[in-house]
Amino acid sequence: MGTFMDVHHGMKGITADQLRAAHQADLANEKAEGVHFERAWADPAEGVVYCLSTGPSAGAVQRVHEKSGHLADEIHEVPLAV
């Protein structure tokens, strides 16, 4: 199981309710891919959203985002944490 940080661009002006709804959509779709979305953060002024997840692969993470209607622009595996 890997840990992944993904980045979504073009989300300028995203609200807390919109971020919560997007995260809830990921949670609703994650089980089929064996992914778990831990947390999401946003910078509305810059239009960037970050998601932290665990799962079998970056492809599995992207498939969940695709089903939820918001593809990630970048997905980075994070193999080291303290």
Side-chain angles (χ1 to χ4, degrees):
M1 201 57 89
T3 300
F4 300 90
M5 178 67 72
D6 60 71
V7 184
H8 304 258
H9 298 284
M11 309 287 276
K12 198 167 191 120
I14 189 170
T15 66
D17 287 340
Q18 290 169 322
L19 180 63
R20 188 175 300 105
H23 183 65
Q24 289 299 318
D26 288 335
L27 293 175
N29 291 309
E30 69 184 13
K31 188 174 183 179
E33 295 291 341
V35 173
H36 178 62
F37 283 87
E38 303 285 338
R39 191 162 189 167
W41 299 265
D43 180 343
E46 293 296 320
V48 181
V49 170
Y50 305 92
C51 301
L52 179 67
S53 62
T54 56
S57 68
V61 171
Q62 187 71 296
R63 286 189 296 275
V64 174
H65 280 318
E66 183 175 20
K67 289 176 190 172
S68 299
H70 46 263
L71 287 173
D73 296 300
E74 304 169 37
I75 301 176
H76 304 275
E77 186 164 10
V78 185
L80 182 62
V82 294

